[in-house]
Amino acid sequence: MKKNMLGLSVSDGFSRLRIYVGKDKLDIMKRVAGLLVAAALVPVVSIGAEAEARSELRGARLLRPLPAGAVRPQGWLEKECRAAANGYVGRLDEVFPKDVSERFREAWSPAHPKRGKELHWIGGRGISFEIGGYWFDGLVRLACALDDPALLAKAQGKLDGVVTNMSDDAYGFLWWQKRSEGPFKDVFKECSGIGGCPTWVLGSGYGGFARALSTWQAARPSPIYRRALKSAYDFDDLLLEGGWCGIAPQAAVLAWEATHDAAIASRLDAFFARVGAGSRCHTILEPPPEDCKEPRKRKAPGHGVTRVESLVGTVFGYFWTGERRYLENAKAWVRYLDGLALLPNGAWAADEYFRPVGAWEGTEACTVTAAEWLYLNLLSAEGDGRWGDSIERLFFNAGMRVTDRSYLRHVVFVRPNTLDDHDYRLQASVGCCSANLTRILPLFVQHLWMATPDGGLAAALYAPSSVTATVAGGVAARIDCDTAYPCSDTVRLSLTLSSPTEFPLLLRLPGWCEKPALAVNGKAVAVECANGFARLRRTWKTGDVVTLNFPFTPHVRTMDIRTDPSRHYGEFWWDGCEYNTQEWLGDQSDACARQGAFVEAGPLCFALLVKAAEWQYCLDARTAEPQVDFLPTGDWPVRVRVNGRAADWPHDPKLPGLPHPSFVRLRETKPIELVPYGSALSAISVFPTANFGKIR
């Protein structure tokens, strides 16, 4: 009987190891028991030697992600994580009707190996590999963050379903495809094109699984998973060029970080040497439209999630090569997309394809996740607190709005304005969004705290949490973050150390805060900001307390809209209603020009609950007089009171959009109460402005 990478007999087990043995049963059971015990132990995170070993990346991470499980959620964030564990993230293969759940149970299952055209996304079952790659990444990170035994067992079972079946004759994670059957390109010769295996299985599927396994290996190191990651990249360069050319190379870099394997390094060197020189991965280093020197070769930014994942792959090109051109290219794209499509909720307008801003223009859930992952890696690369601002604005608004608070209903497209919650459903029509959204919360939790190259810790993002790590001098440290942020302007950090020691503590100062205040043990400390962080280097001891205050100043902002909703409002691209970005840009018109107004305070965007009040109001920045109120209790305990101008205009729910000024009739001024956008499923966050020209 063939042996797998554990040295055990190959089986079709998935949620647990099924071992078929004879007289050596006791010895093997001891080996398995030892593996399970080792996996159950959360390692103490070393920021000294461990982080030093990872610095071999040519493009150094100025802020280094801690292994999953080093940061634990507390307070309202733990409540969210528990709901997610009982909803989509922990039970994606259980919560749907039987026929849909089967699609998720098939994901990378040894009971459902697929070959040839069956691997296709269109006309096949390749979607199960894509959704498995996304989901396992979220599942692994959340299981480690909560240290939940049942969730950890489930996550390990999903990974072991592949790892325990791998062999020396297998094509990596595709263990049922044998090298003895022929060269890699011949085995997959029937799979090509947009719906083929290279796009969906080798890219988002294979790469997604590698991301999940690398996360698990970093959190719970084992020679078994290390060997699996090495074996996954030792057979063909095509593996890094499959798919969208974003997920595959980033997954290979993460696999190298977890293994330091020379063969993976060699393939990465070869891959990035081909970028821009005939490689099929043309989206890496492709200039944004405004930077293209040849106008006839300018391309619209295109499909949302595929473009953003390619930008993440570009950032990983910087990590691997150390060449600044990769980083500058990704940042140029961010600037371009911010100018074209940045919505008040922190997401880029991309109902599948990128488009100019609008009050009802949505963002696919997959694109929200990919944008968060992009910002997190830009933060790691540059150590610039401004990327932390972008992450918080995206997560606390669009990220929280993707699902309801039970994590059992979600939208495909999250929009600034929605008049009802009918778009929130148990299931999506395809499944990629249902799977990809499982990463939003766990990614945020893991990156709340990050390590510095000199043995310190950085508070990169803010939410109630604790971090456990080993800082400079080999001292074990724990920091508890007590806060209701983003529904409070105060953050309190309490330190516990095994012995007093000197190390740097970096504290992100949000760019939106005009006058941040900082105190150590009750004594005010002068705030000196460098690259968006305050740096405190001193000898810390148990009982030290750092207090931060970030006063919220509410603002009424405006956005210009030039899109005719009657031409462009559609639900799904496969219904033939979806326009690509080039068509959107070509149909912008001054005749449709109107201006929207929205309210923000701190990292939050605010909205008017539709079910709680009449919703047709206009805002005038000159008379709105917004005020922030922090409430003593409740979910999302912060409100903004603002003066709104009641108004009437015709509204067509099939063609939603802000009204043209000539169709608005203004009425009396009224005080209205706005709630955090992320807390409201049906609400208005973008209003018509009340200070436009002629009104009848």
Side-chain angles (χ1 to χ4, degrees):
M1 189 175 288
K2 190 167 290 185
K3 301 293 184 180
N4 61 17
M5 300 191 68
L6 285 168
L8 304 177
S9 303
V10 175
S11 77
D12 62 351
F14 187 52
S15 61
R16 63 184 185 278
L17 300 178
R18 296 176 182 171
I19 307 165
Y20 300 93
V21 296
K23 60 182 180 180
D24 296 327
K25 179 177 180 180
L26 180 60
D27 177 62
I28 294 177
M29 291 298 291
K30 287 180 179 179
R31 290 169 61 191
V32 175
L35 173 63
L36 295 177
V37 169
L41 299 175
V42 177
V44 175
V45 182
S46 172
I47 302 175
E50 177 74 11
E52 222 171 77
R54 292 173 181 256
S55 67
E56 295 174 31
L57 286 173
R58 297 185 186 98
R61 293 180 182 270
L62 297 186
L63 292 178
R64 300 171 179 174
L66 297 169
V71 180
R72 299 282 170 80
Q74 296 182 346
W76 70 260
L77 188 60
E78 182 179 8
K79 181 180 177 181
E80 288 288 320
C81 288
R82 296 292 178 188
N86 291 321
Y88 287 127
V89 185
R91 300 172 54 234
L92 196 62
D93 57 348
E94 303 173 39
V95 298
F96 296 110
K98 183 178 179 180
D99 58 331
V100 179
S101 291
E102 184 62 28
R103 183 188 304 162
F104 293 96
R105 284 193 290 271
E106 283 185 15
W108 289 98
S109 167
H112 298 278
K114 297 172 178 60
R115 294 175 176 270
K117 292 186 177 180
E118 195 178 18
L119 289 167
H120 282 212
W121 192 81
I122 298 174
R125 302 288 286 183
I127 182 64
S128 66
F129 293 95
E130 181 188 6
I131 61 181
Y134 298 147
W135 174 34
F136 296 173
D137 189 43
L139 176 64
V140 164
R141 294 177 197 270
L142 185 67
C144 292
L146 290 175
D147 195 27
D148 182 285
L151 216 56
L152 287 165
K154 184 166 189 174
Q156 185 177 3
K158 298 296 186 185
L159 300 177
D160 284 347
V162 173
V163 171
T164 61
N165 282 289
M166 293 173 69
S167 68
D168 292 338
D169 188 35
Y171 277 121
F173 299 142
L174 304 173
W175 55 266
W176 60 94
Q177 301 279 9
K178 305 303 181 184
R179 304 185 194 199
S180 56
E181 296 175 358
F184 184 67
K185 293 181 181 179
D186 291 343
V187 171
F188 294 102
K189 63 183 177 181
E190 296 183 13
C191 303
S192 61
I194 186 63
C197 170
T199 297
W200 304 106
V201 176
L202 299 187
S204 50
Y206 199 101
F209 187 90
R211 284 192 302 205
L213 189 59
S214 297
T215 298
W216 185 266
Q217 171 65 10
R220 295 162 181 268
S222 162
I224 295 163
Y225 301 118
R226 184 175 185 273
R227 183 182 173 193
L229 286 166
K230 291 172 63 176
S231 178
Y233 289 96
D234 70 352
F235 53 88
D236 198 291
D237 290 349
L238 175 64
L239 204 55
L240 298 187
E241 294 192 10
W244 299 328
C245 301
I247 296 178
Q250 56 178 276
V253 173
L254 291 172
W256 178 86
E257 287 189 280
T259 63
H260 285 205
D261 179 62
I264 298 177
S266 177
R267 295 203 182 281
L268 282 164
D269 285 340
F271 171 80
F272 284 110
R274 293 192 301 272
V275 169
S279 168
R280 281 173 289 185
C281 293
H282 60 86
T283 54
I284 290 182
L285 285 182
E286 182 178 61
E290 62 182 10
D291 291 346
C292 185
K293 296 180 180 179
E294 299 182 57
R296 287 181 297 178
K297 293 186 178 181
R298 288 179 183 172
K299 296 181 180 180
H303 189 264
V305 63
T306 58
R307 171 62 65 184
V308 180
E309 285 285 14
S310 292
L311 294 180
V312 181
T314 303
V315 176
F316 274 79
Y318 164 73
F319 287 143
W320 188 252
T321 67
E323 297 177 24
R324 290 285 306 183
R325 61 183 181 136
Y326 287 93
L327 199 55
E328 295 306 322
N329 176 266
K331 291 164 60 180
W333 269 102
V334 170
R335 289 192 298 270
Y336 172 78
L337 292 174
D338 281 353
L340 170 73
L342 185 61
L343 296 168
N345 60 18
W348 291 312
D351 282 4
E352 290 286 339
Y353 292 91
F354 287 109
R355 62 196 52 194
V357 296
W360 264 267
E361 309 310 335
T363 309
E364 188 186 13
C366 285
T367 306
V368 174
T369 305
E372 179 189 28
W373 181 230
L374 171 63
Y375 290 146
L376 286 168
N377 283 286
L378 285 168
L379 174 63
S380 178
E382 293 200 306
D384 190 330
R386 288 176 295 181
W387 297 118
D389 296 345
S390 297
I391 296 163
E392 287 191 349
R393 186 163 187 81
L394 178 70
F395 175 79
F396 290 134
N397 296 288
M400 296 294 282
R401 186 76 173 271
V402 167
T403 68
D404 69 1
R405 302 281 54 85
S406 73
Y407 286 83
L408 289 173
R409 291 195 302 156
H410 76 89
V411 289
V412 177
F413 304 122
V414 57
R415 307 182 189 280
N417 290 355
T418 51
L419 295 183
D420 56 55
D421 60 0
H422 293 164
D423 285 345
Y424 284 84
R425 301 164 184 162
L426 176 62
Q427 66 192 67
S429 56
V430 175
C432 53
C433 286
S434 303
N436 218 339
L437 66 83
T438 66
R439 302 172 60 218
I440 296 174
L441 179 61
L443 281 171
F444 180 79
V445 172
Q446 183 180 348
H447 292 84
L448 285 165
W449 291 88
M450 302 178 79
T452 66
D454 52 355
L457 285 170
L461 309 167
Y462 293 107
S465 60
S466 67
V467 59
T468 302
T470 301
V471 294
V475 173
R478 174 181 168 128
I479 302 178
D480 289 280
C481 179
D482 182 15
T483 184
Y485 186 95
C487 296
S488 168
D489 57 4
T490 301
V491 177
R492 186 177 186 272
L493 307 176
S494 303
L495 283 73
T496 304
L497 294 96
S498 58
S499 62
T501 191
E502 181 181 348
F503 68 90
L505 182 62
L506 274 63
L507 308 169
R508 194 184 109 256
L509 303 177
W512 49 260
C513 184
E514 299 171 2
K515 295 182 179 180
L518 173 62
V520 177
N521 297 329
K523 296 182 179 180
V525 175
V527 176
E528 297 182 6
C529 182
N531 216 24
F533 284 85
R535 181 181 175 89
L536 302 179
R537 187 176 186 102
R538 53 175 286 166
T539 298
W540 300 97
K541 64 182 185 304
T542 296
D544 283 342
V545 174
V546 178
T547 305
L548 300 126
N549 185 252
F550 304 129
F552 283 26
T553 301
H555 298 279
V556 177
R557 312 285 192 190
T558 59
M559 56 189 284
D560 294 325
I561 301 170
R562 300 172 61 245
T563 301
D564 180 357
S566 67
R567 295 284 311 271
H568 297 292
Y569 189 75
E571 187 71 13
F572 299 106
W573 63 271
W574 51 83
D575 289 336
C577 300
E578 192 57 53
Y579 277 54
N580 64 36
T581 311
Q582 199 66 47
E583 291 170 313
W584 276 95
L585 294 174
D587 280 350
Q588 296 295 289
S589 169
D590 290 336
C592 299
R594 64 210 69 193
Q595 192 175 68
F598 59 95
V599 178
E600 61 182 19
L604 298 176
C605 174
F606 286 80
L608 176 67
L609 285 172
V610 171
K611 293 183 178 180
E614 56 180 321
W615 61 273
Q616 287 189 324
Y617 284 90
C618 296
L619 291 182
D620 185 341
R622 300 168 301 183
T623 60
E625 300 180 353
Q627 296 183 13
V628 176
D629 293 326
F630 293 110
L631 309 180
T633 59
D635 295 331
W636 295 82
V638 61
R639 302 288 185 269
V640 167
R641 288 179 288 113
V642 64
N643 293 326
R645 191 79 180 267
D648 295 310
W649 65 81
H651 174 76
D652 184 350
K654 294 182 179 180
L655 299 172
L658 291 187
H660 191 273
S662 60
F663 292 102
V664 177
R665 182 172 63 86
L666 292 176
R667 296 191 283 113
E668 70 277 15
T669 298
K670 292 183 178 180
I672 55 177
E673 182 180 81
L674 308 181
V675 303
Y677 168 87
S679 70
L681 303 188
S682 54
I684 300 296
S685 66
V686 178
F687 302 84
T689 54
N691 55 325
F692 42 53
K694 182 179 179 181
I695 302 173
R696 73 176 179 87

